[in-house]
């Protein structure tokens, strides 16, 4: 009797092992698409930065671009707390996530070499996708689709994890000196490429100080936000400011723009660092209120 049951068990195993996987075809497509994305994400070929008129960039800088190698893999089964085990069946409809923000920083260090050294040490726990030196050299340190550690604890609107949705660009600058024309030329050229590649909204090009009021002050008040806005990277207040209505709610407007207003003074200072720059105090004078109103109107258009 035991022998008979054993034979049935062996037969069942054989039948099971010979049964056709109904998802074999789609799993093959999944594997092929995964391989394509893996090749895309691990490519080390330099990516050309297009020249931008009237900003001129030496195209040899494009040769400096490199991509850090990483790998993709399939996900196996996962055991859930209620005792259920997930089953893996690969879909054929997917692609890589795309960034929707660009965050600009200054390195607060003394050289490109020092910043690269910082970003290549595990203990620092900080990184960015790109670094742009004073002479315009562009170094890419991470594939655009991967998550760099540049934003830290930050928010913009309801987005509480900017690292997962943004590209971080560091400008080699200690925070106390003007940014060079060559450096800004390379930044504009790089922004032109990234904005086009990922269809990043104009208003989603921000500074570190915008997303971390009170905690960060980069890029400094010397950063040419107006120049960038004129070229389509970020927004800028009207030249002639319209007076804000008497019942204009300043804190609510800052929140709608994107600022975290839990510390209202810090939010005002962060706003002024970006849009006024000649005065970065928390004082709410007429110019500040009308500037907030101008940006608020552009944000909700």
């Amino acid at each position: 009797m035991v022998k008979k049951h054993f034979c049935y068990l062996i037969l069942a195993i054989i039948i099971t092992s010979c049964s056709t996987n109904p998802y074999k075809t789609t799993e093959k497509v999944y594997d092929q698409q995964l391989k394509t994305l893996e090749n895309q994400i691990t490519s080390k070929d330099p990516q050309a930065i297009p020249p931008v008129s009237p900003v001129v960039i030496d195209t040899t800088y494009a040769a400096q671009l490199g991509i850090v190698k990483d790998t993709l893999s399939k996900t196996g089964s996962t055991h859930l707390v209620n005792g259920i085990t997930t089953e893996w069946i690969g879909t054929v409809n997917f692609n890589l996530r795309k960034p929707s923000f660009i965050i600009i920083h200054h390195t607060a260090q003394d050289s490109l070499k020092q910043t690269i050294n910082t970003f290549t040490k595990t203990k620092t726990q900080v990184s960015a996708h790109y670094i742009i030196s004073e002479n315009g050299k562009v170094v890419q340190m991470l594939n655009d689709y991967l998550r760099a550690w540049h934003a830290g604890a930050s928010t913009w609107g309801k987005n509480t994890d900017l690292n997962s949705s943004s590209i971080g660009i560091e400008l080699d600058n200690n925070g106390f000196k003007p940014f060079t024309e060559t450096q800004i030329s390379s930044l504009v050229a790089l922004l032109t490429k990234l904005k086009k590649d990922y269809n990043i909204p104009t208003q989603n090009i921000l500074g570190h100080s915008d997303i971390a009021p009170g905690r960060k002050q980069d890029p400094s008040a010397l950063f040419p936000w107006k120049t960038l806005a004129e070229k389509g990277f970020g927004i800028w207040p009207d030249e002639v400011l319209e007076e804000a209505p008497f019942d204009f709610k300043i804190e609510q407007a800052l929140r709608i723009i994107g600022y975290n207003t839990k510390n209202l003074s810090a939010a005002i200072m962060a706003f002024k660092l970006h849009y006024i720059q000649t005065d970065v105090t928390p004082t709410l004078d007429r110019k500040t209120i009308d500037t907030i109103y101008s940006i608020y109107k552009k944000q909700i258009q």
Side-chain angles (χ1 to χ4, degrees), residues 90-103:
T91 179
V92 298
N93 304 310
F94 66 99
N95 56 10
L96 294 173
R97 295 175 185 265
K98 289 188 177 183
S100 55
F101 289 86
I102 295 175
I103 308 300

Side-chain angles (χ1 to χ4, degrees), residues 47 93 252 272:
Q47 301 179 22
N93 304 310
Q252 182 179 339
K272 293 172 78 169

Side-chain angles (χ1 to χ4, degrees), residues 99-102 167 194-196 198-202 204-205:
S100 55
F101 289 86
I102 295 175
I167 291 174
L194 296 176
K195 185 180 179 183
K196 180 180 178 181
Y198 306 116
N199 195 27
I200 293 174
T202 297
N204 285 6
I205 298 172

Side-chain angles (χ1 to χ4, degrees), residues 102-105 205-212 218-219 225 274:
I102 295 175
I103 308 300
I104 298 173
H105 310 252
I205 298 172
L206 304 165
H208 199 183
S209 57
D210 292 313
I211 62 173
D218 60 302
W225 283 114
H274 188 137

